[in-house]
Amino acid sequence: LSETALRALLNNSKKYLASELIEKIPATIMQEVTNGIARGKHAGAVMESIREVTPIIETQIVTAYGQYRQAITELAAQKLPKSTLYYYIGPHDTKTRESCAEKIEDSPMTYKQLIAKHGGMQNGIWNCRHGWEQESSSPLDQGYNPEKFND
């Protein structure tokens, strides 16, 4: 991958984070303070309601990292041999979304199969713990565990 492509992806991540962290979070904090004043809340209660917003920041960061990583993987996939296989790697537990479980079960897939069935490697899911990874000489070392699907 070229430095230009990586910089373009990084700039997209910056724009996304600027939108989410610089514009939305301060607006939410201002709204909480305004609501607190209007409702006669104690400052401590307003601070507590603002603290409830902070997990959103972690979600934004985790999402930005995941989207950046998947964009790089997808750009690389376009240049690799068509026979290259990809696994959807990540935990398979009670938090796993149905769409992620389906991708785990569909693994491995070629890039062409992946595009046809799932539209690409970018999943657009907030706070996702999963991602497509190129098959290595040992998928088990990458965390792939087919026994997780046996009862």
Side-chain angles (χ1 to χ4, degrees), residues 75-140:
L75 281 176
Q78 294 168 6
K79 297 178 185 261
L80 292 171
K82 295 187 186 321
S83 61
T84 303
L85 294 174
Y86 297 89
Y87 287 85
Y88 201 62
I89 303 296
H92 190 268
D93 54 23
T94 57
K95 293 181 182 179
T96 303
R97 295 175 180 99
E98 191 175 312
S99 61
C100 291
E102 180 183 343
K103 292 173 186 177
I104 291 169
E105 292 167 11
D106 288 344
S107 295
M109 301 178 88
T110 64
Y111 182 63
K112 185 177 179 178
Q113 292 168 326
L114 205 148
I115 295 287
K117 182 145 189 193
H118 300 292
M121 292 181 169
Q122 305 273 345
N123 62 19
I125 297 176
W126 288 89
N127 208 23
C128 188
R129 305 172 297 150
H130 305 86
W132 291 101
E133 291 188 22
Q134 179 185 344
E135 179 181 57
S136 72
S137 59
S138 176
L140 295 176

Side-chain angles (χ1 to χ4, degrees), residues 4-151:
T4 303
L6 292 175
R7 285 190 185 277
L9 290 173
L10 189 57
N11 285 334
N12 284 341
S13 293
K14 282 181 184 177
K15 287 177 189 174
Y16 161 78
L17 286 171
S19 167
E20 295 299 320
L21 299 178
I22 295 172
E23 296 169 17
K24 292 182 182 176
I25 298 296
T28 301
I29 291 171
M30 286 296 296
Q31 186 63 48
E32 290 298 322
V33 172
T34 305
N35 287 344
I37 292 169
R39 295 184 179 135
K41 287 184 176 181
H42 186 274
V46 172
M47 285 301 298
E48 187 57 38
S49 66
I50 290 171
R51 280 188 198 94
E52 292 173 7
V53 176
T54 55
I56 294 170
I57 295 170
E58 182 179 1
T59 299
Q60 303 293 348
I61 293 168
V62 168
T63 300
Y65 269 78
Q67 291 176 348
Y68 182 74
R69 185 186 78 228
Q70 287 302 276
I72 290 172
T73 303
E74 188 150 18
L75 281 176
Q78 294 168 6
K79 297 178 185 261
L80 292 171
K82 295 187 186 321
S83 61
T84 303
L85 294 174
Y86 297 89
Y87 287 85
Y88 201 62
I89 303 296
H92 190 268
D93 54 23
T94 57
K95 293 181 182 179
T96 303
R97 295 175 180 99
E98 191 175 312
S99 61
C100 291
E102 180 183 343
K103 292 173 186 177
I104 291 169
E105 292 167 11
D106 288 344
S107 295
M109 301 178 88
T110 64
Y111 182 63
K112 185 177 179 178
Q113 292 168 326
L114 205 148
I115 295 287
K117 182 145 189 193
H118 300 292
M121 292 181 169
Q122 305 273 345
N123 62 19
I125 297 176
W126 288 89
N127 208 23
C128 188
R129 305 172 297 150
H130 305 86
W132 291 101
E133 291 188 22
Q134 179 185 344
E135 179 181 57
S136 72
S137 59
S138 176
L140 295 176
D141 289 343
Q142 289 179 288
Y144 179 69
N145 184 356
E147 270 84 56
K148 287 188 175 183
F149 300 107
N150 298 333
D151 291 326

